[in-house]
Coordinates of all heavy atoms in Angstrom, one line a residue:
M940 N -14.3 -4.2 1.1 CA -13.9 -4.9 -0.1 C -14.0 -4.0 -1.3 O -13.1 -4.0 -2.2 CB -14.7 -6.1 -0.3 CG -14.2 -7.0 -1.4 SD -14.6 -8.7 -1.1 CE -13.5 -9.5 -2.1
N941 N -15.1 -3.2 -1.4 CA -15.2 -2.3 -2.5 C -14.2 -1.2 -2.5 O -13.7 -0.9 -3.6 CB -16.6 -1.7 -2.5 CG -17.6 -2.6 -3.3 OD1 -17.2 -3.5 -4.1 ND2 -18.9 -2.4 -3.0
A942 N -13.8 -0.8 -1.3 CA -12.7 0.2 -1.3 C -11.4 -0.4 -1.8 O -10.6 0.3 -2.5 CB -12.6 0.8 0.1
S943 N -11.1 -1.6 -1.4 CA -9.9 -2.3 -1.8 C -10.0 -2.5 -3.4 O -9.0 -2.3 -4.1 CB -9.8 -3.7 -1.1 OG -9.8 -3.5 0.2
A944 N -11.2 -3.0 -3.8 CA -11.3 -3.3 -5.3 C -11.1 -2.0 -6.1 O -10.5 -2.0 -7.1 CB -12.7 -3.8 -5.5
E945 N -11.6 -0.9 -5.6 CA -11.4 0.4 -6.3 C -9.9 0.7 -6.4 O -9.5 1.1 -7.5 CB -12.1 1.5 -5.5 CG -12.3 2.8 -6.3 CD -11.1 3.7 -6.2 OE1 -10.3 3.6 -5.2 OE2 -10.9 4.5 -7.2
R946 N -9.2 0.4 -5.4 CA -7.7 0.7 -5.4 C -7.0 -0.1 -6.5 O -6.0 0.3 -7.1 CB -7.1 0.5 -4.0 CG -5.6 0.7 -4.0 CD -5.3 2.2 -4.2 NE -3.8 2.5 -4.3 CZ -3.0 2.2 -5.3 NH1 -3.5 1.7 -6.4 NH2 -1.7 2.5 -5.2
L947 N -7.5 -1.4 -6.6 CA -6.8 -2.3 -7.6 C -7.5 -2.4 -8.9 O -7.2 -3.3 -9.8 CB -6.7 -3.7 -7.0 CG -5.4 -3.8 -6.1 CD1 -5.7 -3.3 -4.7 CD2 -4.9 -5.3 -6.1
C948 N -8.5 -1.5 -9.2 CA -9.2 -1.5 -10.5 C -9.9 -2.8 -10.7 O -10.1 -3.2 -11.9 CB -8.3 -1.2 -11.6 SG -7.7 0.5 -11.6
L949 N -10.4 -3.4 -9.7 CA -11.2 -4.6 -9.8 C -12.7 -4.1 -9.8 O -12.9 -3.0 -9.3 CB -11.0 -5.6 -8.7 CG -9.7 -6.5 -8.8 CD1 -9.3 -7.0 -7.4 CD2 -10.0 -7.6 -9.7
P950 N -13.6 -4.8 -10.3 CA -15.0 -4.3 -10.4 C -15.6 -4.3 -9.0 O -15.3 -5.1 -8.1 CB -15.7 -5.4 -11.2 CG -14.9 -6.6 -11.1 CD -13.5 -6.2 -11.0
L951 N -16.5 -3.3 -8.8 CA -17.2 -3.2 -7.5 C -18.4 -4.1 -7.4 O -18.9 -4.5 -8.4 CB -17.7 -1.7 -7.3 CG -16.6 -0.6 -7.3 CD1 -17.2 0.7 -6.8 CD2 -15.3 -1.0 -6.6
L952 N -18.7 -4.5 -6.1 CA -19.8 -5.4 -5.9 C -21.0 -4.6 -5.6 O -20.9 -3.5 -5.0 CB -19.5 -6.3 -4.7 CG -18.4 -7.3 -4.8 CD1 -18.0 -7.7 -3.4 CD2 -18.8 -8.5 -5.6
D953 N -22.2 -5.1 -5.9 CA -23.4 -4.5 -5.5 C -23.6 -4.9 -4.0 O -23.6 -6.1 -3.7 CB -24.6 -5.0 -6.3 CG -25.9 -4.4 -5.8 OD1 -26.5 -5.1 -4.9 OD2 -26.3 -3.4 -6.3
E954 N -23.7 -3.9 -3.1 CA -23.7 -4.3 -1.7 C -24.8 -5.3 -1.3 O -24.6 -6.2 -0.5 CB -24.0 -3.0 -0.9 CG -23.2 -2.8 0.3 CD -23.3 -1.4 0.9 OE1 -22.6 -0.5 0.4 OE2 -24.2 -1.2 1.8
K955 N -26.0 -5.1 -1.9 CA -27.1 -6.0 -1.6 C -26.9 -7.4 -2.1 O -27.1 -8.4 -1.4 CB -28.4 -5.4 -2.2 CG -29.6 -5.4 -1.3 CD -30.8 -4.6 -1.8 CE -31.8 -5.5 -2.4 NZ -32.0 -5.5 -3.8
D956 N -26.4 -7.5 -3.3 CA -26.1 -8.8 -3.9 C -25.0 -9.5 -3.0 O -25.1 -10.7 -2.8 CB -25.6 -8.7 -5.3 CG -26.8 -8.3 -6.3 OD1 -27.9 -8.3 -5.8 OD2 -26.5 -8.0 -7.4
A957 N -24.0 -8.8 -2.6 CA -22.9 -9.4 -1.9 C -23.4 -9.9 -0.5 O -23.0 -11.0 -0.1 CB -21.7 -8.4 -1.7
M958 N -24.3 -9.1 0.1 CA -24.8 -9.5 1.4 C -25.7 -10.8 1.2 O -25.7 -11.7 2.0 CB -25.7 -8.4 2.0 CG -24.9 -7.3 2.7 SD -23.9 -8.0 4.1 CE -25.1 -8.7 5.1
Q959 N -26.5 -10.8 0.1 CA -27.3 -12.0 -0.2 C -26.4 -13.2 -0.3 O -26.7 -14.3 0.2 CB -28.1 -11.7 -1.4 CG -29.1 -12.9 -1.7 CD -29.7 -12.8 -3.1 OE1 -29.6 -11.7 -3.8 NE2 -30.3 -13.9 -3.6
A960 N -25.3 -13.0 -1.1 CA -24.4 -14.1 -1.3 C -23.9 -14.7 0.0 O -23.9 -15.9 0.3 CB -23.3 -13.7 -2.2
L961 N -23.4 -13.7 0.9 CA -22.9 -14.1 2.2 C -23.9 -14.9 3.0 O -23.6 -15.9 3.6 CB -22.5 -12.8 3.0 CG -21.1 -12.4 3.0 CD1 -21.0 -11.1 3.8 CD2 -20.1 -13.4 3.5
E962 N -25.1 -14.3 3.0 CA -26.1 -14.9 3.9 C -26.6 -16.3 3.4 O -26.7 -17.2 4.2 CB -27.3 -13.9 4.0 CG -28.3 -14.3 5.0 CD -29.4 -13.3 5.3 OE1 -29.3 -12.2 4.7 OE2 -30.2 -13.5 6.2
E963 N -26.8 -16.4 2.1 CA -27.2 -17.7 1.6 C -26.1 -18.7 1.8 O -26.4 -19.9 2.1 CB -27.7 -17.6 0.1 CG -29.0 -16.9 0.0 CD -29.7 -17.1 -1.4 OE1 -29.5 -18.2 -2.0 OE2 -30.4 -16.2 -1.8
F964 N -24.9 -18.3 1.6 CA -23.8 -19.2 1.7 C -23.6 -19.7 3.1 O -23.5 -20.9 3.4 CB -22.5 -18.6 1.2 CG -21.3 -19.4 1.5 CD1 -21.0 -20.5 0.8 CD2 -20.3 -18.9 2.4 CE1 -19.9 -21.3 1.0 CE2 -19.2 -19.7 2.7 CZ -18.9 -20.8 2.0
V965 N -23.7 -18.8 4.1 CA -23.5 -19.1 5.5 C -24.7 -20.0 6.0 O -24.5 -20.9 6.7 CB -23.3 -17.9 6.4 CG1 -23.3 -18.3 7.9 CG2 -22.0 -17.2 6.0
R966 N -25.9 -19.7 5.5 CA -27.1 -20.4 5.9 C -26.9 -21.9 5.4 O -27.1 -22.8 6.2 CB -28.3 -19.8 5.3 CG -29.6 -20.4 5.9 CD -30.9 -19.7 5.5 NE -30.9 -18.3 5.9 CZ -31.3 -17.3 5.1 NH1 -31.6 -17.6 3.9 NH2 -31.3 -16.1 5.5
L967 N -26.4 -22.1 4.2 CA -26.2 -23.4 3.7 C -25.1 -24.2 4.5 O -25.2 -25.4 4.7 CB -25.8 -23.4 2.2 CG -25.7 -24.7 1.5 CD1 -27.0 -25.3 1.2 CD2 -24.9 -24.6 0.2
E968 N -24.1 -23.4 5.0 CA -23.0 -24.1 5.7 C -23.1 -24.0 7.2 O -22.2 -24.2 7.9 CB -21.7 -23.4 5.2 CG -21.4 -23.5 3.7 CD -21.2 -24.9 3.2 OE1 -22.1 -25.7 3.4 OE2 -20.1 -25.2 2.7
Q969 N -24.3 -23.7 7.7 CA -24.4 -23.3 9.1 C -24.0 -24.5 10.0 O -23.6 -24.2 11.2 CB -25.8 -22.8 9.5 CG -26.9 -23.8 9.2 CD -28.3 -23.1 9.5 OE1 -28.5 -22.8 10.6 NE2 -29.1 -22.9 8.5
D970 N -24.1 -25.7 9.6 CA -23.7 -26.8 10.4 C -22.2 -26.8 10.7 O -21.7 -27.5 11.5 CB -24.2 -28.2 9.8 CG -25.7 -28.3 9.9 OD1 -26.3 -27.5 10.7 OD2 -26.2 -29.2 9.3
F971 N -21.5 -26.1 9.8 CA -20.0 -26.0 10.0 C -19.6 -24.9 11.0 O -18.4 -24.8 11.3 CB -19.3 -25.7 8.7 CG -19.1 -26.9 7.8 CD1 -20.1 -27.2 6.8 CD2 -18.0 -27.7 7.9 CE1 -19.9 -28.3 6.0 CE2 -17.8 -28.8 7.1 CZ -18.8 -29.1 6.2
V972 N -20.6 -24.1 11.5 CA -20.2 -23.1 12.5 C -20.0 -23.9 13.8 O -21.0 -24.5 14.4 CB -21.3 -22.1 12.7 CG1 -20.9 -21.0 13.7 CG2 -21.7 -21.4 11.3

Side-chain angles (χ1 to χ4, degrees):
M940 186 153 200
N941 273 340
S943 303
E945 192 278 333
R946 179 65 184 81
L947 273 85
C948 290
L949 282 158
L951 302 195
L952 295 163
D953 177 274
E954 220 170 276
K955 223 168 102 254
D956 288 350
M958 278 304 297
Q959 185 194 344
L961 262 180
E962 192 169 0
E963 285 198 30
F964 172 69
V965 173
R966 193 172 297 133
L967 184 73
E968 301 295 58
Q969 59 183 294
D970 289 347
F971 279 94
V972 182

